Amino acid sequence: MVEATREQAEDYRRLVTRFGRRPAILRNAVWAFLVGGTICAVGQFFLGLFLLRGMPLKEATVPAASTMIAIGAILTGLGVYDKLGRRAGMGAALPITGFANAIVAPAMEFRREGLLLGVGARLFQIAGPVIVYALAAALLVAVVRILVAGPPGS
Amino acid sequence: MSPASFVIAFLVGGAICLLAQLTLDLARNLTAAHVMVLFVVLGAVASGLGLYEPLVEFSGAGAAIPLPAFGHALVQGMLKGAAQQGAGGLLSGGLTAAAMGLTVAIVIGLLMALVARPQG
Amino acid sequence: MTVKKNGQTLVFSNPPAVLATAAVVGPKEGEGPLSGWFDVVKPDRLLGMKSWERAECKMVEEAVTLALGKAKVAHKDLDFYLGGDLLHQIITSSFAARSIDVPFFGLYGACATIAEALCLAAVLVDGGFATHVALASSSHHDTAERQFRFPTEFGVQRPVTAQYTVTAVGAAVVGPPGKGKMQITHATVGRVVDYGQKDPMDLGAAMAPAAADTILAHFQDTGRAPESYDLILTGDLASVGHPLCVELLRRAGLVLDGRFVDCGMMLYDETQETVAGGSGCGCSASVFAGYLARNLEQGKFRRILLVATGALHSTTSAQQGESIPCIAHAIVVERSG
């Protein structure tokens, strides 16, 4: 094997950086803003529905988010969400609909590998890390908060 | 259902997604999955600092629909559980708060895997 | 016995013939600039099969059958089948070999596979071990995407350096010297080159040093000038890696002009959203079996140098933070007579 020396590798890295591509930051940002904003405005419609039924805001966000999850999942099933994400990037990935996409996409993709090891095991390929670190971070934050601010409700 | 609430949700939600996109584009070697994890953790931290709840009250779905809301929901659920049931509530409160969303996602994911074929 | 090799370059004094080639491609490749040069353009990527993997295998079988038919070589006269692809345990090639049903060598050179296969086929024929050898190199966008990256329905952006795995197969039949319209005269076998690049979403940059290494070795071994070739093609460095390769060659004192191009940049046009360009075992394979072979047959090209490039990482090695070793094999194909 021709393994570059550290200097050669470093030199080449500089060359790659010099020839490198920059992402279209402005265009990506505009797309993310518009699509992400639009998805949240749709979410606001459902939140409004639940608020109209007399739910307090804290409670209404839960079914509103769940409705959006269902919409994201269905759009993934229809083969639409990947095209949206290709353009909008985090504008499609960051709303909770993107979380649904992250669960449904591998579930559909690995159906051919069977219901257990395909769908069941792969369902959390991308969402798994999100849930794991969200839960761990939340527990840490909650414990620190209780230690600093005292027991809740007191 | 005031028009203003839609505009605020659009602006705040869009801004959060824009921040995530900038993180993806400016920090090299991060994938979308990394940024999703990062923002959900940031949501939990902001919730602990007492910053996220006011943002939800101000912008509704603008803050409640982007992923940081998931971290926020977990923290608030844990704090609520701790207040009601102590240590046991601290441990169970997070997933209790997220139960509906997760169940919907898993069940519909399963359903879609059964009825829909990936189109590539 | 005389060694028929100079440095890294095999020299075929009785050049084995390329009797026929066939290129079978997917719909997106069929909409690209090289559209008219392929034998078959498929209307979709699943072909009514139950999986993408089966569809890829089906395309390989079809391309090999087509190439054998064009070469007028009967199944009983076929001695070996050589094949390679991108999937774990090269299942596309092995499964296709099951139905092609002749002695089989499975190859893995990632996207450099077509040149590796042509080289070994020529060696088998030149060594007198075979009269006719069929070979194919394939890739499929969705089988590669789900294996190397994300599920196909996951909505994410591709980084600007990312390449698009082509859905395409290139097949060829190599036979005895003096037959056919094309022949293989040289093959420069590449070394594995690693310049410490780690980003699997920027394979062009990882592969460029391997391409430069093999190109320099080829010109040194043969003593030829770039002007000896109508076209010098890298496999699939695409729009990020190709300029890097040009720069590396320039630093080494070799300046190549407009005849130096890249297969990954030829398959698609700007509007097709493939980011940096095409890649995959079927990329250089289909450009060779379609565009290059037709132009050689028609006499528009007299001689070409195809430098197919491959990145030899896996998802495991990439996740473990290993750098990406790369390889490039070069093959000289010229018009006979």
Side-chain angles (χ1 to χ4, degrees), chain B residues 66-120:
Chain B
L67 263 187
F70 183 58
H72 168 63
L74 291 179
V75 170
Q76 293 308 315
M78 285 171 178
L79 291 175
K80 190 175 156 196
Q84 289 169 351
Q85 301 159 34
L90 175 74
L91 292 176
S92 64
L95 283 182
T96 306
M100 190 193 290
L102 280 179
T103 306
V104 169
I106 291 172
V107 170
I108 298 195
L110 199 56
L111 207 67
M112 283 298 151
L114 294 177
V115 301
R117 293 283 167 272
Q119 295 165 20

Side-chain angles (χ1 to χ4, degrees), chain C residues 122-136:
Chain C
V123 166
L124 285 169
V125 170
D126 187 56
F129 300 103
T131 312
H132 298 112
V133 180
L135 61 95

Side-chain angles (χ1 to χ4, degrees), chain C residues 201-330:
Chain C
M201 289 294 196
D202 189 4
L203 294 178
M207 295 190 293
D213 190 71
T214 299
I215 292 169
L216 290 169
H218 177 81
F219 285 114
Q220 187 170 22
D221 294 347
T222 57
R224 281 183 172 169
E227 290 70 33
S228 308
Y229 299 103
D230 294 315
L231 215 51
I232 299 168
L233 306 100
T234 46
D236 45 12
L237 298 180
S239 60
V240 175
H242 195 70
L244 281 165
C245 187
V246 170
E247 173 65 13
L248 289 173
L249 290 172
R250 192 191 61 78
R251 288 180 175 188
L254 180 65
V255 178
L256 297 176
D257 52 18
R259 77 188 72 213
F260 186 43
V261 295
D262 182 77
C263 300
M265 294 164 73
M266 296 163 71
L267 265 177
Y268 305 109
D269 64 35
E270 299 284 307
T271 63
Q272 291 184 290
E273 302 194 344
T274 54
V275 199
S279 70
C281 297
C283 180
S284 47
S286 61
V287 171
F288 168 73
Y291 175 72
L292 295 175
R294 288 305 91 73
N295 276 294
L296 282 162
E297 284 168 354
Q298 293 169 8
K300 286 189 191 134
F301 296 151
R302 198 171 37 83
R303 185 190 285 148
I304 58 117
L305 178 66
L306 175 64
V307 189
T309 48
L312 304 176
H313 68 303
S314 75
T315 48
T316 306
S317 75
Q319 283 171 1
Q320 292 179 350
E322 300 288 340
S323 57
I324 300 170
C326 296
I327 197 159
H329 301 300

Side-chain angles (χ1 to χ4, degrees), chain A residues 91-112:
Chain A
L94 204 71
I96 200 83
T97 43
F99 182 71
N101 171 248
I103 287 180
V104 177
M108 283 165 66
E109 183 67 58
F110 295 103
R111 168 72 184 87
R112 287 162 188 153

Side-chain angles (χ1 to χ4, degrees), chain C residues 11 18 24 27 51 57 59 66 71 82 102 131 135 144 166 201 205 232 239 272 289 295 308 311:
Chain C
V11 183
V18 178
V24 177
S51 67
C57 190
M59 287 174 70
L66 259 175
L82 312 180
V102 292
T131 312
L135 61 95
V166 309
M201 289 294 196
I232 299 168
S239 60
Q272 291 184 290
N295 276 294

